[in-house]
Amino acid sequence: MSRDQPALVTGVTGQDGVYLARSLRALGVPVVGTRQDTALARARASAYLSDVDVWVLDLLDPMGFGPLLSEVRPSRVFHLAGSTSVAASWDDPAGTAAVNDHAVARLLADVRAHRDRTGEDVRVFVASTAVDDPSPYARSKRAAEEHVRAARAAGLWAVSARLHNHESPLREPQFVTRKISRTAAAIALGRADSLTLGNTAVRRDWGHARDLVEGVRRMLEQESPTDLELGTGVAHGLLDLVTCAFAAAGLGDATPYLRTDETLLRPGDAAEQVADPAPALAALGWRATTPFARMVTHLVETDLARLRTGVDHSPAYLWPEQFH
């Protein structure tokens, strides 16, 4: 990857965007990122991305990508922005399609036009998902994969990856992993007395976001463009996650604290999802390295620190080893 031309990371203030930007900057690569115009995005940009040039970009703006590409002239584009909530997609399927499907088609078309106009090599990564259910979210991501394949067939260097569940302290609290870690921390500090969940029978391939973005970064360094799935290759039950979280918080058996709310159940929720890590290992020399229990402990330790200090954003929260 060129250290002269920047990498463009859309959604740079999201969980994956922050970790990817930090990885690229550690390698000396200039990074330009895009974010939404929200208080959370501004706070994250300030806390984690002081050495990144961050632009405000609306994915629904049909003119958004062209001027950005002309100004930035990136050698690599990592498209991470979009809707990430399966549950929210049921409430707004059209909006989910607009940002996860139609915006990807526009981005790829604009990158092709930029490449043809400038003659510059541009490689594109588009984040997809391992979620494979009837949700509008999953359908929008599969449509985006089709756009990537079509662009590649037309001569653009473009890949997508199906990312399995990956977590960090930057995961927003409405996601079940942060709900669990934050509630365990709150119970430990005497600020909560129960944890309410929906379907506790699911099993997922949960990794750390720090690991998966390394696979994402390497995907644009392949000799030829190949779509992959990225995950740990090991599935854990949701109750395993609860058990690890309560142990990390210094609590005992979680059972007395658990409550069930059937309104939290999602239609078509797959019983188990787990990656085959062999293709990514063969193609990229990459594998996830953060153990499941360490990932969960990192979430809980950070939520304990947040609740004790009232500080929501700190660079110290990003890396597990900084706690030990």
Side-chain angles (χ1 to χ4, degrees):
M1 182 180 296
S2 170
R3 295 194 179 186
D4 298 320
Q5 285 183 282
L8 174 61
V9 180
T10 70
V12 74
T13 56
Q15 167 187 263
D16 296 355
V18 169
Y19 279 95
L20 179 58
R22 299 271 37 92
S23 173
L24 291 166
R25 292 299 298 126
L27 295 172
V29 178
V31 177
V32 176
T34 72
R35 67 167 175 85
Q36 295 178 307
D37 188 15
T38 66
L40 176 60
R42 290 191 293 273
R44 287 186 171 184
S46 175
Y48 308 116
L49 302 170
S50 60
D51 55 352
V52 172
D53 185 10
V54 181
W55 295 42
V56 174
L57 178 70
D58 182 356
L59 290 181
L60 301 181
D61 181 357
M63 300 299 293
F65 294 116
L68 179 63
L69 293 166
S70 295
E71 179 73 20
V72 175
R73 304 188 72 156
S75 63
R76 303 290 185 267
V77 176
F78 297 91
H79 184 57
L80 308 179
S83 172
T84 57
S85 173
V86 174
S89 75
W90 290 104
D91 296 327
D92 186 14
T96 300
V99 297
N100 287 354
D101 172 358
H102 309 153
V104 171
R106 286 199 308 275
L107 171 64
L108 293 167
D110 286 346
V111 172
R112 286 179 60 193
H114 173 77
R115 180 207 59 186
D116 294 345
R117 183 173 62 254
T118 64
E120 296 173 351
D121 171 54
V122 184
R123 296 186 173 192
V124 182
F125 170 88
V126 173
S128 187
T129 180
V131 174
D132 192 15
D133 60 23
S135 68
Y137 171 77
R139 294 198 302 270
S140 69
K141 288 294 190 177
R142 296 297 171 261
E145 292 175 3
E146 289 294 330
H147 296 317
V148 170
R149 285 190 284 269
R152 190 162 62 229
L156 185 67
W157 208 108
V159 294
S160 67
R162 293 187 177 184
L163 306 179
H164 282 261
N165 294 60
H166 51 291
E167 312 301 330
S168 80
L170 299 189
R171 179 65 82 190
E172 294 181 27
Q174 66 266 32
F175 287 82
V176 68
T177 44
R178 275 294 313 286
K179 179 179 182 178
I180 291 168
S181 67
R182 189 172 181 85
T183 303
I187 291 172
L189 296 176
R191 303 185 191 183
D193 56 15
S194 65
L195 169 63
T196 302
L197 299 172
N199 183 4
T200 59
V202 297
R203 294 176 59 81
R204 295 290 182 263
D205 185 332
W206 276 294
H208 199 290
R210 179 182 64 163
D211 290 343
L212 263 73
V213 300
E214 287 303 301
V216 167
R217 181 183 63 78
R218 293 188 192 188
M219 282 189 68
L220 291 196
E221 303 307 312
Q222 298 179 88
E223 184 174 340
S224 58
T226 304
D227 300 331
L228 294 167
E229 67 171 337
L230 300 179
T232 72
V234 179
H236 291 88
L238 187 65
L239 291 179
D240 296 333
L241 200 154
V242 172
T243 298
C244 282
F246 274 62
L251 300 167
D253 181 13
T255 305
Y257 301 99
L258 291 180
R259 307 289 183 269
T260 301
D261 183 351
E262 293 188 357
T263 66
L264 298 176
L265 299 177
R266 293 202 308 240
D269 214 2
E272 179 170 300
Q273 292 169 349
V274 61
D276 176 3
L281 179 61
L284 311 175
W286 173 87
R287 72 172 73 212
T289 59
T290 305
F292 173 76
R294 188 68 197 92
M295 181 272 293
V296 177
T297 299
H298 181 204
L299 268 64
V300 174
E301 288 175 331
T302 308
D303 278 328
L304 283 166
R306 282 180 169 130
L307 291 173
R308 285 168 174 153
T309 65
V311 177
D312 283 335
H313 306 288
S314 168
Y317 296 160
L318 293 177
W319 311 114
E321 57 268 27
Q322 290 186 235
F323 288 99
H324 299 288

